[in-house]
Amino acid sequence: MIVSERTYRFSYNAWLTILAVSLIFRVPATILLIVFTAYNLVFFKRLKFTRKRLVFMLFIASPFLLDLLFFWNNDVFAEGIKHAEKRVSLLLLPLFILSQNHRLNTVLILRYYALITTAILSFCLIRFAIISPELFNKYLNGTDLWEMGYEFARSINMHAPALNMHVAFVVVINFYFFKEALGQIRKTHIIWRFVFFLLSLIVLFYINTRLAIASAFFGIILVSFFENKALFSAKTFTKLTVGLVVFVLLGIGFVKLFPYSIQKFSDVTFAHLDKVGKLDQLENPETEAFNGLVTRLSIWKSSLEVALKNPVVGVGAADGKQEVVNYFKDTKQQFLAKYEFPVHNQYLDFWIKFGALGLLVALLYVFLFLYIGIATRQVLCIFFFILFASANFVDDFLIRFDGIVFSGIWLSIFTKNALDIKLDKLK
């Protein structure tokens, strides 16, 4: 197929933007990923492979390569194939993106990804208020707020913790471009970028997830200070103040509407920490500890004990969760066994499944964001490291399609941009 270089470059930037936006809807994202793969195969001759590109491809594909390396360790081969299939996108995305022989317009991809995602989620929030007025009114009246993010995520058929990551990332991207607009002459850019930043903040506060709000807050501070040598100059202080004032004012307003938020971030989170590993001693753990830190700590305690039983080669990708559930039963932790909780920590999860090498690969994959971000001063890549590293400390996103593809596509884009920056410096 004959396509001009200009058309091909434009279409590829559009492809990556659309694919990134689609990840909030699993079925369309899966279809688009398949079509994207076919698209790259059609233009396979345009791909260029170098030694450095291949090295980074292997790093990004390392979780998938673990599945292949330890495939023999699964009790049921069919289940092993199923788990490997989830992570095959970590091979395909860097293979196609890093081998492009033209420079990606990373700024354009980030900007339109954030704008479109903000618009879609804002529409979904309005839709949620229309199709579930009883739930929406409950939230407005300050009741049952603990389920807010989960119900909204269910309304668009998405995993709530994954949606939290998307929203926090989008908030910080919108702030990044809002900060950029403050130095421009055209004031209209400031207005509409502020509007999108505000809309994304509203969605973030509505979801009301502790980690997402904390990550976004830290990201705003990071973006405010980044690339400013004089950290306490008047210009830097003004930019930082604008962002923080908006964030804090919205936060105060939200707490006034939903006072349960304070309780959620304090009493609910840190209650019953003396019951770690002893949740069945609570009179009603479902209501007293289900969303508390004590439940996560109890899961992690048991998971660590399972990992230490097979520290070298693990128990296999397909058998990791069941081994933890069996341990709940063997140690008579009835509450944890009843709900068959997953590990909720990606580093422990990979250690259980693949042994010490699994833990090493999980850390390598996550810290690759930090390396790429610092090496080429990509502040949004550094923030993604903070977001993804912390999210995987309390959940396991490399076992789910949304977390795998979400991280894989952005790690590939940031790495490709880093390679392009390095190449430009050599010219």
Side-chain angles (χ1 to χ4, degrees):
M1 183 181 294
I2 300 175
V3 176
S4 70
E5 184 66 20
R6 183 177 179 181
T7 300
Y8 180 75
R9 292 186 181 193
F10 174 82
S11 65
Y12 213 85
N13 288 318
W15 253 117
L16 293 178
T17 305
I18 293 169
L19 191 58
V21 170
S22 73
L23 294 179
I24 55 179
F25 304 107
R26 177 166 181 169
V27 174
T30 304
I31 295 171
L32 283 171
L33 185 59
I34 294 171
V35 178
F36 178 69
T37 301
Y39 176 85
N40 280 277
L41 292 176
V42 169
F43 294 101
F44 191 80
K45 290 184 178 180
R46 290 179 178 265
L47 307 184
K48 182 180 180 180
F49 300 92
T50 65
R51 182 179 299 177
K52 183 173 287 189
R53 289 178 180 182
L54 287 171
V55 168
F56 280 105
M57 287 176 194
L58 290 175
F59 283 153
I60 298 173
S62 56
F64 171 71
L65 298 179
L66 271 181
D67 284 303
L68 300 184
L69 183 62
F70 288 93
F71 188 75
W72 56 272
N73 204 19
N74 295 295
D75 288 341
V76 181
F77 281 1
E79 288 297 313
I81 293 173
K82 181 179 178 181
H83 281 75
E85 182 185 12
K86 288 182 180 180
R87 285 186 277 268
V88 72
S89 59
L90 294 182
L91 176 66
L92 298 176
L93 288 169
L95 177 69
F96 296 137
I97 296 173
L98 268 62
S99 59
Q100 293 301 311
N101 207 26
H102 66 276
R103 181 166 186 164
L104 301 179
N105 193 333
T106 307
V107 171
L108 188 71
I109 294 169
L110 283 163
R111 182 186 300 154
Y112 280 97
Y113 158 74
L115 294 178
I116 297 171
T117 302
T118 301
I120 291 174
L121 290 177
S122 299
F123 172 80
C124 289
L125 187 59
I126 295 171
R127 170 183 172 272
F128 181 64
I130 295 172
I131 66 173
S132 302
E134 67 289 346
L135 287 173
F136 200 81
N137 288 332
K138 281 171 65 177
Y139 302 151
L140 293 179
N141 293 327
T143 58
D144 293 336
L145 292 174
W146 65 269
E147 61 177 342
M148 181 182 301
Y150 292 95
E151 290 297 338
F152 176 58
R154 286 192 194 103
S155 72
I156 57 175
N157 196 29
M158 188 171 183
H159 181 52
L163 179 61
N164 299 334
M165 280 202 306
H166 278 278
V167 175
F169 190 42
V170 164
V171 166
V172 175
I173 295 174
N174 281 333
F175 179 77
Y176 175 87
F177 287 111
F178 168 60
K179 173 196 166 187
E180 181 188 66
L182 291 176
Q184 297 178 358
I185 298 175
R186 295 178 63 181
K187 301 303 179 184
T188 53
H189 284 184
I190 298 176
I191 296 172
W192 68 261
R193 289 185 185 182
F194 175 75
V195 168
F196 274 87
F197 171 56
L198 186 63
L199 288 173
S200 59
L201 269 181
I202 291 172
V203 175
L204 175 71
F205 282 123
Y206 187 85
I207 292 174
N208 195 28
T209 301
R210 290 159 288 202
L211 185 60
I213 292 175
S215 297
F217 182 75
F218 189 86
I220 289 171
I221 295 175
L222 178 67
V223 168
S224 298
F225 281 128
F226 199 80
E227 293 183 342
N228 286 287
K229 295 180 181 179
L231 293 181
F232 298 102
S233 67
K235 187 176 180 181
T236 301
F237 182 76
T238 300
K239 291 179 179 179
L240 176 62
T241 302
V242 170
L244 293 183
V245 166
V246 171
F247 194 98
V248 171
L249 287 178
L250 278 173
I252 293 173
F254 190 88
V255 169
K256 291 291 184 181
L257 285 173
F258 307 115
Y260 175 79
S261 297
I262 295 296
Q263 183 184 353
K264 176 182 177 180
F265 276 71
S266 54
D267 298 342
V268 172
T269 299
F270 298 105
H272 309 296
L273 292 183
D274 59 320
K275 301 298 183 185
V276 173
K278 300 176 288 186
L279 293 176
D280 294 317
Q281 293 181 10
L282 295 171
E283 184 176 346
N284 190 346
E286 279 86 353
T287 57
E288 295 180 67
F290 201 95
N291 292 296
L293 180 60
V294 63
T295 299
R296 289 287 167 91
L297 291 174
S298 298
I299 296 169
W300 295 343
K301 179 177 181 293
S302 296
S303 298
L304 179 60
E305 290 165 1
V306 172
L308 292 174
K309 286 185 175 182
N310 301 275
V312 180
V313 297
V315 300
D319 307 309
K321 180 181 177 181
Q322 192 56 49
E323 285 293 324
V324 174
V325 173
N326 290 341
Y327 188 81
F328 293 156
K329 295 176 181 177
D330 294 341
T331 53
K332 295 181 171 50
Q333 298 182 75
Q334 297 176 8
F335 170 67
L336 298 181
K338 175 183 176 181
Y339 289 97
E340 298 188 350
F341 288 103
V343 178
H344 282 306
N345 181 300
Q346 189 59 68
Y347 314 105
L348 276 174
D349 178 78
F350 264 33
W351 190 5
I352 291 169
K353 291 175 178 177
F354 305 112
L357 184 59
L359 175 60
L360 180 64
V361 166
L363 292 170
L364 181 149
Y365 182 83
V366 172
F367 273 84
L368 191 56
F369 281 101
L370 182 62
Y371 170 76
I372 293 295
I374 292 176
T376 51
R377 297 184 64 80
Q378 297 183 77
V379 65
L380 292 176
C381 186
I382 296 173
F383 170 68
F384 199 104
F385 159 74
I386 295 167
L387 177 66
F388 199 62
S390 57
N392 277 293
F393 190 78
V394 297
D395 218 314
D396 19 35
F397 286 102
L398 290 179
I399 66 172
R400 296 185 55 85
F401 172 86
D402 36 31
I404 292 167
V405 183
F406 181 57
S407 62
I409 190 170
W410 286 115
L411 184 52
S412 299
I413 290 172
F414 286 130
T415 303
K416 177 64 168 66
N417 192 49
L419 293 173
D420 290 337
I421 291 171
K422 292 292 185 182
L423 185 61
D424 286 346
K425 289 182 178 180
L426 294 175
K427 291 180 179 179

